[in-house]
């Protein structure tokens, strides 16, 4: 395992090659992120259908994060990541072929979304421990921030371009391009000799997977700050996704936004996330104080979406909230990498992902139902108020604010 200075993550050729492949993959993901929800909304006109789409992505992602973490700690991560990207390439290619032949249906989309989520969970389970393996723990925070910033920087372009393409040519070009980017990701991963672990132990038996999950859960429960933040994120994500699910219906119903304008809005939101990621990677503020302050600012910045009749104000509110939110998330991910023993990173991250992501399931369904039945502004109100209450609770915890690890 290499040790890389905080400022020198790109001095590692292995990480640089991996990073470049992920940057291209992010482009395809950004196009898919706008194309599939727009396609679902076009087919159904329902916020509930969007909620179901997010739920079908969230649930298997959360559940298979446990398995992915166990596999990542025991098997060659390089092989696992190549397999995941190969499956994702095949699914997106099948989407494109089905659409071109006018047989792409909602059930087919839903099935593909589930499989994409499973592969994504296993891939991310491998990615998390691979970063400290390639760079050392000191390189984790700038590496995570660089990946987050690049993902969102690409999304400055992808959603607006995707919305424009959807208007002019439909979703087919975005689906094809997304498939091709998974091929580029495979090339970059294949160019790196090793992502760890040092001594792969082979495919785990079911009992071993269960033991890994139990071990990861015990580690989370033993660390007071990690336990508190994991449980808090479960509820915060539940409220946050209520607003996220409602974004497209909100823009279309409240402001009459076109598909292209929806894409531009998502691009503007990505500006905020790029800024937040860059700030996170370049600053070393005390962890607890900075994290709790970022959560509070995130909740306050989202609030104008409840009442504003100005689309620019709504966009600025979403973008600013995203900057605070991604700062908190990237700082939190790097903090976990610092405090978790290397041999347990995959399984502990798997447990944490299950807990924090599973909260999105009720939130995604509630966001669609509230948006359709009571209006999208009500969904924004519920999202903002619930998130703010939890953020305030975290801010009042002195032990958490004083955590400097």
């Amino acid at each position: 395992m290499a040790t890389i200075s905080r400022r020198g993550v790109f001095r590692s050729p292995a990480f640089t090659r991996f990073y470049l492949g992920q940057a291209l993959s992010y482009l395809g993901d950004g196009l898919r992120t706008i194309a599939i929800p727009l396609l679902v909304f076009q087919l159904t006109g329902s916020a509930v259908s969007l909620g179901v789409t997010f739920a079908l992505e969230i649930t298997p992602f959360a559940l298979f994060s446990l398995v992915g973490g166990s596999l990542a700690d025991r098997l060659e991560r390089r092989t696992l990541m190549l397999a995941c990207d190969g499956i994702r390439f095949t699914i997106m290619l099948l989407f494109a072929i089905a659409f071109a032949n006018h047989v792409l249906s909602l059930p087919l989309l839903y099935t593909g979304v589930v499989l994409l989520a499973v592969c994504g969970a296993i891939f991310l389970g491998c990615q998390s421990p691979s970063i400290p393996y390639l760079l050392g723990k000191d390189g984790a925070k700038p590496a995570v921030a660089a990946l987050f910033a690049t993902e969102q920087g690409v999304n400055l372009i992808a959603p607006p371009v995707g919305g424009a393409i959807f208007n002019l040519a439909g979703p087919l070009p975005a689906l094809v391009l997304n498939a091709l980017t998974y091929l580029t990701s495979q090339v970059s991963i294949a160019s790196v000799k090793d992502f760890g672990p040092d001594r792969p132990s082979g495919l785990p038996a079911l009992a071993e997977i269960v033991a890994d999950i139990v071990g990861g859960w015990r580690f989370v429960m033993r660390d007071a700050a990690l336990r508190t933040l994991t449980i808090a994120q479960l509820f915060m994500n539940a409220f946050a996704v209520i607003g996220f699910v409602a974004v497209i219906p909100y823009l279309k119903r409240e402001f009459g936004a076109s598909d292209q304008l929806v894409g531009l809005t998502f691009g503007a939101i990505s500006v905020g996330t790029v800024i937040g990621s860059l700030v996170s990677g370049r600053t070393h503020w005390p962890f607890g104080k900075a994290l709790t302050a970022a959560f509070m600012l995130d909740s306050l910045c989202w609030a104008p979406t409840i009442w504003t009749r100005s689309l620019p104000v709504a966009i600025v509110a979403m973008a600013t909230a995203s900057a605070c939110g991604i700062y908190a998330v990237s700082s939190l991910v790097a903090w976990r990498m610092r405090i978790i023993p290397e041999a347990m990173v995959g399984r502990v991250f798997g447990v944490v992902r299950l807990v924090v992501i599973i909260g999105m399931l009720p939130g995604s369904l509630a966001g669609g139902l509230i948006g359709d039945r009571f209006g999208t502004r009500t969904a924004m109100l519920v999202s903002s108020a619930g998130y703010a209450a939890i953020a305030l609770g975290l801010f009042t915890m002195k032990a958490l604010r004083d955590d400097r690890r």
Side-chain angles (χ1 to χ4, degrees):
M1 181 186 74
T3 300
I4 304 293
S5 69
R6 289 178 181 270
R7 297 182 181 276
V9 294
F10 291 108
R11 294 177 184 173
S12 164
F15 176 76
T16 301
R17 290 195 296 272
F18 175 68
Y19 166 85
L20 291 173
Q22 291 310 292
L24 290 172
S25 182
Y26 292 150
L27 174 61
D29 287 341
L31 294 171
R32 190 193 74 221
T33 298
I34 191 70
I36 289 182
L38 284 174
L39 185 56
V40 170
F41 195 72
Q42 184 185 76
L43 290 172
T44 66
S46 168
V48 172
S49 295
L50 288 176
V52 171
T53 304
F54 285 117
L56 289 174
E57 184 172 2
I58 290 164
T59 305
F61 188 91
L63 294 174
F64 277 85
S65 289
L66 292 173
V67 179
S70 179
L71 295 178
D73 286 340
R74 294 176 178 272
L75 299 179
E76 290 186 355
R77 297 171 194 140
R78 180 176 179 270
T79 301
L80 279 175
M81 289 191 285
L82 285 170
C84 288
D85 271 352
I87 295 171
R88 291 195 284 187
F89 162 75
T90 302
I91 292 169
M92 294 309 301
L93 186 62
L94 289 174
F95 277 176
I97 293 171
F99 181 84
N101 288 278
H102 309 289
V103 294
L104 183 59
S105 63
L106 200 58
L108 183 59
L109 276 170
Y110 283 164
T111 301
V113 164
V114 170
L115 293 175
L116 287 167
V118 171
C119 291
I122 296 174
F123 188 96
L124 193 57
C126 294
Q127 186 189 73
S128 297
S130 293
I131 292 173
Y133 182 86
L134 292 175
L135 300 172
K137 289 184 179 291
D138 284 344
K141 185 177 181 181
V144 169
L147 286 167
F148 279 4
T150 302
E151 180 179 11
Q152 300 306 324
V154 169
N155 282 342
L156 299 179
I157 302 169
V161 171
I165 292 173
F166 199 98
N167 261 346
L168 296 173
L172 182 59
L175 297 175
V176 171
L177 183 55
N178 189 201
L180 293 175
T181 57
Y182 285 128
L183 282 181
T184 64
S185 178
Q186 289 180 78
V187 171
S188 75
I189 292 167
S191 72
V192 179
K193 182 179 179 181
D194 186 22
F195 287 95
D198 286 324
R199 297 179 181 86
S201 59
L203 187 66
L206 179 60
E208 291 175 312
I209 293 176
V210 172
D212 286 347
I213 294 170
V214 171
W217 181 259
R218 286 176 177 167
F219 186 92
V220 172
M221 290 297 103
R222 282 198 301 265
D223 189 293
L226 180 59
R227 181 179 66 245
T228 299
L229 286 170
T230 300
I231 295 172
Q233 273 198 290
L234 183 153
F235 293 101
M236 294 177 88
N237 283 347
F239 284 106
V241 81
I242 289 174
F244 182 75
V245 166
V247 166
I248 289 177
Y250 171 75
L251 293 171
K252 286 185 170 292
R253 294 173 185 174
E254 300 295 333
F255 301 101
S258 65
D259 292 335
Q260 186 170 4
L261 189 53
V262 170
L264 288 169
T265 301
F266 274 82
I269 291 172
S270 294
V271 172
T273 53
V274 169
I275 293 171
S277 297
L278 292 174
V279 171
S280 174
R282 295 173 182 271
T283 57
H284 305 290
W285 296 323
F287 169 74
K289 289 183 174 63
L291 181 75
T292 53
F295 279 143
M296 281 297 299
L297 289 172
D298 185 2
S299 64
L300 292 173
C301 290
W302 188 265
T305 61
I306 301 166
W307 51 263
T308 186
R309 300 293 173 181
S310 167
L311 180 57
V313 170
I315 293 173
V316 169
M318 294 179 192
T320 309
S322 294
C324 299
I326 203 67
Y327 172 88
V329 169
S330 58
S331 297
L332 189 51
V333 169
W335 174 77
R336 290 185 192 127
M337 289 181 180
R338 291 196 300 272
I339 69 170
I340 299 170
E342 181 191 343
M344 295 187 68
V345 170
R347 66 197 75 176
V348 174
F349 263 74
V351 170
V352 171
R353 285 196 194 97
L354 172 66
V355 176
V356 303
I357 293 173
I358 204 66
M360 295 181 181
L361 176 58
S364 62
L365 297 174
L369 290 170
I370 294 170
D372 277 351
R373 180 166 295 186
F374 302 105
T376 54
R377 289 187 186 276
T378 302
M380 296 301 188
L381 171 62
V382 173
S383 177
S384 181
Y387 193 97
I390 300 167
L392 180 60
L394 292 175
F395 190 75
T396 62
M397 295 181 181
K398 185 176 185 300
L400 180 57
R401 291 202 314 273
D402 290 344
D403 193 308
R404 301 178 64 91
R405 288 180 288 174

